[in-house]
Amino acid sequence: MLLPSCLLALTFASIQVYAQLSLPSPPWLPANASAGAVATTGSNTSVPNEQWSTLLGDLLYFYEAQRSGKLPSNNRVSWRNDSATSDGSDVGLDLTGGYYDAGDYIKVSFPLSFTLNSICWGGIDFGMGYDLSNQTSYLDSMLRWGLDWLIKMHANTSTLYVEVADTGIDNAYWGGDQNIPGPRPSFQINDTSPGTDAAAGVSAAFASCSYLYYGGTLSPTTIGKSSVNSTAPASLKNTTYADTLLIHAVELYELAVNASGGMTLYQNSVPEVQDSYASSGYGDELVMAGLWLSLAVNASQNANSTLNITTLSPQQYYSLAESYYSQFDLAGQNSVFNWDDKTAGTYILFAQMSSLGFEGAGNFSQWQTEAERYLDVVVDPSSSKGDASLTKGGLLYYSGDSDDASLNPALNAAMLLTRYAASGLCSTNDKKATYLSFAQSQLDYTLGNNPMFVPYIVGLHPNSPINPHSAMSSGGDDIGQIDTSPPLSQGNTYVLYGAVVGGPDRFDRFFDIRSDWVENEVALDYNAPMLTLTAMHIVTDDTDPYFTQVTVGANEKVKPKGQPCDDAIQDGCSGHRLSEGGEIALGVVLGVVGLVVVGLLAVWLWKLRSTGSFGGKA
């Protein structure tokens, strides 16, 4: 299916971007971890709750610690430095800025686009949480640092840079941000060497964030205990910046759909991303981008935008999204919602748009049915033959997807459940209660209601992880001594406040070992669902988050001995206990074998008795 060419009346260089919101002075800074063990309920039962607000601030602060390029004068992370200030020089461009994707120093457009899309979506649905906690200016700053870099990466209408730095070189380095090794090559997709998923994914990020900056909304109901409009987007409306983002969204969707090289996965054009962020498909990105473009273009028209953009109508973008949804057979899936697969998110967005009576949107009951089919399996994974189950501690766990970062799939599912239920879309009140309860269980697990008594966010509580897999915060400079310099007992040299770590294994065990990137690595997309969930709770919750209930030091009493068994560390795999499914299978086998042995023994005894061969008298 071909999308008619989109003619933009103004070039990128002619667009004047309004300045971001002014940041507080003095700046907001994270509290010491000890503050996370102090309850506020009783002395403060109003909205916003102080501890929820602190959590939101910490989560945003993490992104500031991940910044690349020349840092601004109002940088809050004292131990960070200017870094990678020549990125893009190999291709004659300025590709500095943006965010380091995880615990290392590569910068990748595809997973960042998902992160920004997720956070902007949360800012649309629960943006009042940022306003109430006085974090909206930091949200604005965080978004622009990523979006402005993606604008640089979209070098012209038919070119998008998708990675800066060589993954192999980067993986061989462990140290601070002032000695990052080179070269740091720049990799692109373009009209002849396309990447449908990457182009459409970044288009979705630009379009969703454009809708946020237009002041768009998706929630038909009011939630929470605040006296203000709790479903309003975050107060950072800026039509000029929204216009800028929309131009890039439109052009990249055009590249995704109409590239002369056809539609293809971006790793086919850029093999260098195969070992870092390879994609499994592009139908989901095409649908997601089409939906957000329909919303953003509609908002642009309603805002009387000064940019004369000749493009498709909102209804045409929506129709394209529906067509790709059918073409790529996205209905009926139970896949994890993450940076690679956005399918589940399309169910929720379709439902939100149709519930608002968006012109051209499908029948709400159709999308309500599809969304609830998916979410029903999430809250009751045993009802499906899929790969999901609950750990003994109650964490939603997807075999495969959760093996390399257990918390992220669960938190993304909780985010979708919360968004759908809190927006008043559920078919019954019982279903709404079930969805919110399950989402809360996953959030509480992350915040300390787990067998390890660990809130899995760095710097939040005395029991929080102290050894995140982060080269820049570790303070070490020897890749062969990651776990000894500094010693694990001392923790990283610098506290990476607000970082959500990968999480425990399928047996709910967490070892807090720095080299174990499976359990301890941090990443841009790990924090994204926590931001949205926290913003919602700031609006709706006057009670403390769960981490204030966690007993300080309780984690030390249950900390597992030895080593984990995962893709990062194999030392703990010898004699490692079977999975729950394996234990069940082994139990069945042993049970059958036992019955056979007992049966044979009975036959043998009967024969002995009948022949008088017991050694007694005949």
Side-chain angles (χ1 to χ4, degrees), residues 211-275:
Y211 191 62
L212 171 63
Y213 278 94
Y214 278 129
T217 184
L218 284 167
S219 299
T221 61
T222 297
I223 61 173
K225 300 180 180 180
S226 172
S227 60
V228 296
N229 181 3
S230 55
T231 58
S235 300
L236 39 67
K237 184 175 181 178
N238 187 320
T239 301
T240 300
Y241 193 54
D243 288 342
T244 300
L245 300 177
L246 180 55
I247 283 180
H248 288 277
V250 168
E251 289 227 348
L252 283 168
Y253 197 64
E254 169 73 7
L255 177 62
V257 173
N258 282 340
S260 63
M263 290 188 179
T264 188
L265 299 174
Y266 83 126
Q267 62 260 30
N268 292 333
S269 297
V270 185
E272 290 78 6
V273 303
Q274 182 67 51
D275 294 331

Side-chain angles (χ1 to χ4, degrees), residues 474-499:
S474 74
D477 58 6
D478 185 346
I479 197 168
Q481 302 294 325
I482 293 179
D483 290 334
T484 56
S485 178
L488 294 177
S489 60
Q490 294 182 13
N492 284 14
T493 301
Y494 307 107
V495 180
L496 193 58
Y497 286 103

Side-chain angles (χ1 to χ4, degrees), residues 63 66-67 97-101 106-107 112 141-142 145-146 524:
Y63 289 99
Q66 294 294 113
R67 284 179 171 179
Y99 294 103
Y100 297 121
D101 79 298
I106 65 172
K107 302 188 299 188
L112 175 61
S141 177
M142 177 269 154
W145 195 268
L524 302 177

Side-chain angles (χ1 to χ4, degrees), residues 213-453:
Y213 278 94
Y214 278 129
T217 184
L218 284 167
S219 299
T221 61
T222 297
I223 61 173
K225 300 180 180 180
S226 172
S227 60
V228 296
N229 181 3
S230 55
T231 58
S235 300
L236 39 67
K237 184 175 181 178
N238 187 320
T239 301
T240 300
Y241 193 54
D243 288 342
T244 300
L245 300 177
L246 180 55
I247 283 180
H248 288 277
V250 168
E251 289 227 348
L252 283 168
Y253 197 64
E254 169 73 7
L255 177 62
V257 173
N258 282 340
S260 63
M263 290 188 179
T264 188
L265 299 174
Y266 83 126
Q267 62 260 30
N268 292 333
S269 297
V270 185
E272 290 78 6
V273 303
Q274 182 67 51
D275 294 331
S276 55
Y277 289 100
S279 171
S280 61
Y282 50 79
D284 51 329
E285 282 86 19
L286 289 171
V287 174
M288 189 67 84
L291 291 177
W292 283 115
L293 276 166
S294 68
L295 286 164
V297 170
N298 184 66
S300 173
Q301 294 173 352
N302 292 336
N304 296 317
S305 170
T306 58
L307 290 182
N308 181 20
I309 303 176
T310 303
T311 181
L312 297 182
S313 69
Q315 293 73 31
Q316 288 173 310
Y317 279 119
Y318 187 92
S319 294
L320 278 171
E322 284 190 312
S323 296
Y324 287 129
Y325 182 87
S326 298
Q327 178 181 337
F328 292 97
D329 196 25
L330 298 189
Q333 302 297 315
N334 290 316
S335 55
V336 172
F337 181 60
N338 60 19
W339 61 266
D340 177 39
D341 194 337
K342 291 89 173 176
T343 302
T346 67
Y347 303 152
I348 309 303
L349 188 54
F350 268 122
Q352 285 184 300
M353 293 177 67
S354 59
S355 73
L356 292 173
F358 183 80
E359 185 177 354
N363 182 275
F364 170 63
S365 62
Q366 168 196 349
W367 295 113
Q368 182 187 55
T369 298
E370 181 65 352
E372 294 185 2
R373 177 204 59 78
Y374 176 84
L375 297 176
D376 284 348
V377 173
V378 169
V379 300
D380 183 16
S382 64
S383 64
S384 170
K385 296 181 179 180
D387 296 324
S389 61
L390 294 179
T391 67
K392 290 182 178 178
L395 179 67
L396 178 65
Y397 198 97
Y398 292 86
S399 179
D401 287 285
S402 298
D403 292 340
D404 285 342
S406 62
L407 295 176
N408 188 243
L411 288 173
N412 275 326
M415 177 181 65
L416 294 181
L417 287 163
T418 299
R419 166 172 290 122
Y420 185 85
S423 297
L425 304 179
C426 293
S427 57
T428 68
N429 288 332
D430 286 345
K431 195 174 289 289
K432 176 180 179 178
T434 298
Y435 288 175
L436 290 176
S437 176
F438 187 86
Q440 187 66 46
S441 73
Q442 302 307 294
L443 180 58
D444 286 348
Y445 185 103
T446 304
L447 296 180
N449 189 14
N450 56 66
M452 295 288 98
F453 304 105

